[in-house]
Amino acid sequence: MNGLFGENLKYDLRSSLVVFLVALPLCLGIAVASGAPPMAGLIAGIIGGIVAGSISGSHVAVSGPAAGLTVIVLDSISSLGGFQLFLGAVVAAGLIQFLLGVVRAGVLGYYFPHSVIKGMLTAIGLILILKQIPHALGYDKDHIGDMAFEQMDQHNTFTEIYYAFIYNSPGAIPIVLIGLLILFLFEKPKIKSHKIIGVIPGPLWAVIAGIVINETYRFWMPSWQVGGDHLVSIPELSSLSEFTTLLTFPDFSLVTDASFWLVAFTIAIIASIETLLSVEAGDKLDPYKRITPASRELVAQGTGNVLSGFVGGLPLTVVIVRTTANVSSGARTKMSAIFHGFLLLILVLAIPGVLNKIPLSCLAAVLFLVGYKLANPAIFIKEYKKGFDQFLPFVITVFAILFTDLLVGIGIGMVVGLFFVIKTNFHRSLMVTELNGNYLVKLQKDVSFLNKAPLMKQLSTIPPGSNVVLNAVKARFIDHDIQELLHDFIETAPDKDIQIILEGFSNNVRQKV
């Protein structure tokens, strides 16, 4: 890669346009689904891009309002008694996150199992595809930012698709099909790198085509034209001064109340977990395999949340959908995330009328492509070939997220993933081999009380007259229960004419065994 403002600039500018198109409806949809003003989502997107993006050490991560926090935000606004009181808790949550970053708590993010991270990415890809089917068909009853299985409109992911096929809007279907065709063509290197056509990224061409087709309907098929809930909807502002009137400032009157700090800590912890998961997932997607400093990311998110809460924005995290769109669009540096924040700020002020003509069905086409790249069927085959210890946590995480929500599904996946990690380490801690009546019992890594039963079983099968080598060269820790078991085996060995040789045991352990 070349310098920041050299060859990278054109890639970052193009990808920032794509991320902007993905972020715009998600910011609005998440805000509405959270029971907050639509502008709160846009503010969080702007701050997530410009502020958090500038401080972040990630080259590809994009921050903004997160669908995973929707239910928490909705409940918190209600429990605290108003949006301004909730904003006070967001500021406090940001300060907590900042402190977590300062004490380097981000290191916890490195302990998430790979299979769970991969399952999270794949599940989000499947959810994107399933959730966009109703929007592609022009059935827009549910907000575009709702990612949970049980939806805000009382339907679930699959019943929503069922009703979308029954109550579809015929004008939306050509828009999404042409959008998908354009995106498919732009996956071809000849078109993507074309000197004229390739200057504008495929998703922007798909959006332009969607606007043109929908406007054309009014002349030859007025009943097909989509409007209202089927279009992007942002407040139309005439000036920057009018924008400032839409800012909402926090109320700290509950700062001495336990409920205030319960909300603040909940947001800080959940937002931090989602950020660390998304950052690690983003690093895996990064073609240059750069590593993000996790604790610095918590500082960036904490700073962003303090500012977002102060001016009326939703809590923000690193978000994997926008990060995936960023990577797949060719972003080279974090300038792409920063540019997308400026695009949200400038274009929402400059051309709100044009943005409000964008059909949600053409944006669904863009999100279909993002979802497919995350949930490509080849991923399932690749994970299956790694063995069941990797595949089961992966696939369980996928379905747990698909049928609950992101945070619950990740929790289930973590439990399953950790079970297999412990199981694998459990088996690798003990190895017994035999050759012509000579036995080698190797204690490897950490040997805990969990290994007592299998070790006891293995030692009981050693026949009289055998030669046994007890090897602990690679053992860093031997539990007291294991030492007692070995001591008993050595004590009774002469009765069975078993010869024992000790290798690698420390003097302290030798005295006990």
Side-chain angles (χ1 to χ4, degrees), residues 40-200:
L42 292 173
I43 290 170
I46 292 166
I47 292 173
I50 300 173
V51 178
S54 298
I55 300 171
S56 171
S58 174
H59 295 275
V60 298
V62 182
S63 300
L69 291 174
T70 300
V71 175
I72 294 171
V73 173
L74 186 64
D75 291 343
S76 298
I77 293 173
S78 175
S79 65
L80 291 177
F83 185 59
Q84 288 180 281
L85 291 165
F86 168 75
L87 292 177
V90 174
V91 174
L95 292 172
I96 295 167
Q97 275 189 293
F98 184 89
L99 291 174
L100 288 173
V102 170
V103 300
R104 303 198 175 281
V107 70
L108 296 174
Y110 299 131
Y111 293 95
F112 295 123
H114 165 83
S115 56
V116 176
I117 300 295
K118 204 71 177 176
M120 179 189 78
L121 288 170
T122 305
I124 290 173
L126 288 173
I127 290 170
L128 276 178
I129 293 169
L130 294 171
K131 291 289 188 182
Q132 295 314 305
I133 291 174
H135 298 295
L137 297 172
Y139 185 78
D140 300 293
K141 299 296 183 183
D142 190 45
H143 305 298
I144 202 167
D146 189 357
M147 302 285 281
F149 181 71
E150 296 293 339
Q151 299 182 167
M152 304 298 292
D153 63 354
Q154 308 304 313
H155 292 160
N156 63 46
T157 301
F158 295 110
T159 58
E160 189 83 358
I161 294 172
Y162 169 76
Y163 285 110
F165 276 100
I166 296 175
Y167 302 109
N168 67 80
S169 177
I173 298 172
I175 292 174
V176 73
L177 291 177
I178 292 173
L180 286 171
L181 176 62
I182 291 171
L183 293 171
F184 173 77
L185 292 174
F186 266 82
E187 289 296 299
K188 305 294 183 183
K190 286 185 178 180
I191 296 179
K192 184 184 288 188
S193 59
H194 193 276
K195 291 182 179 180
I196 299 175
I197 299 175
V199 172
I200 298 175

Side-chain angles (χ1 to χ4, degrees), residues 473-494:
V473 172
K474 293 184 178 180
R476 296 173 300 183
F477 166 78
I478 302 175
D479 188 83
H480 178 75
D481 285 5
I482 301 298
Q483 294 176 26
E484 288 288 332
L485 177 60
L486 293 175
H487 173 76
D488 293 343
F489 176 70
I490 294 170
E491 284 251 308
T492 58

Side-chain angles (χ1 to χ4, degrees), residues 103-379:
V103 300
R104 303 198 175 281
V107 70
L108 296 174
Y110 299 131
Y111 293 95
F112 295 123
H114 165 83
S115 56
V116 176
I117 300 295
K118 204 71 177 176
M120 179 189 78
L121 288 170
T122 305
I124 290 173
L126 288 173
I127 290 170
L128 276 178
I129 293 169
L130 294 171
K131 291 289 188 182
Q132 295 314 305
I133 291 174
H135 298 295
L137 297 172
Y139 185 78
D140 300 293
K141 299 296 183 183
D142 190 45
H143 305 298
I144 202 167
D146 189 357
M147 302 285 281
F149 181 71
E150 296 293 339
Q151 299 182 167
M152 304 298 292
D153 63 354
Q154 308 304 313
H155 292 160
N156 63 46
T157 301
F158 295 110
T159 58
E160 189 83 358
I161 294 172
Y162 169 76
Y163 285 110
F165 276 100
I166 296 175
Y167 302 109
N168 67 80
S169 177
I173 298 172
I175 292 174
V176 73
L177 291 177
I178 292 173
L180 286 171
L181 176 62
I182 291 171
L183 293 171
F184 173 77
L185 292 174
F186 266 82
E187 289 296 299
K188 305 294 183 183
K190 286 185 178 180
I191 296 179
K192 184 184 288 188
S193 59
H194 193 276
K195 291 182 179 180
I196 299 175
I197 299 175
V199 172
I200 298 175
L204 185 54
W205 281 117
V207 168
I208 292 170
I211 294 173
V212 170
I213 293 169
N214 195 43
E215 291 299 310
T216 304
Y217 282 153
R218 73 170 66 188
F219 300 109
W220 63 277
M221 192 73 74
S223 63
W224 278 28
Q225 187 173 25
V226 297
D229 292 340
H230 307 299
L231 303 175
V232 169
S233 178
I234 60 174
E236 296 197 23
L237 308 173
S238 57
S239 66
L240 182 60
S241 60
E242 192 175 339
F243 176 81
T244 59
T245 63
L246 295 176
L247 301 181
T248 307
F249 301 102
D251 182 346
F252 294 101
S253 60
L254 291 181
V255 72
T256 58
D257 195 293
S259 63
F260 176 92
W261 290 105
L262 178 62
V263 169
F265 273 98
T266 301
I267 293 172
I269 299 302
I270 299 301
S272 297
I273 291 172
E274 187 163 345
T275 288
L276 294 175
L277 282 164
S278 298
V279 160
E280 187 168 349
D283 287 346
K284 292 186 185 304
L285 294 172
D286 182 7
Y288 300 101
K289 302 305 175 188
R290 294 163 290 191
I291 304 298
T292 299
S295 295
R296 177 175 168 181
E297 195 60 45
L298 292 182
V299 170
Q301 298 302 312
T303 305
N305 275 320
V306 168
L307 185 56
S308 185
F310 262 121
V311 294
L314 292 176
L316 53 95
T317 74
V318 174
V319 276
I320 197 59
V321 174
R322 276 155 271 185
T323 299
T324 303
N326 195 33
V327 174
S328 62
S329 303
R332 296 285 185 89
T333 75
K334 67 178 183 178
M335 292 307 298
S336 174
I338 297 170
F339 288 151
H340 117 275
F342 279 111
L343 285 173
L344 280 172
L345 175 61
I346 295 168
L347 297 185
V348 164
L349 288 173
I351 55 168
V354 175
L355 298 178
N356 283 338
K357 292 181 182 292
I358 300 175
L360 295 182
S361 54
C362 66
L363 293 177
V366 176
L367 290 170
F368 274 141
L369 182 63
V370 174
Y372 177 76
K373 288 184 176 182
L374 284 172
N376 190 311
I379 294 171

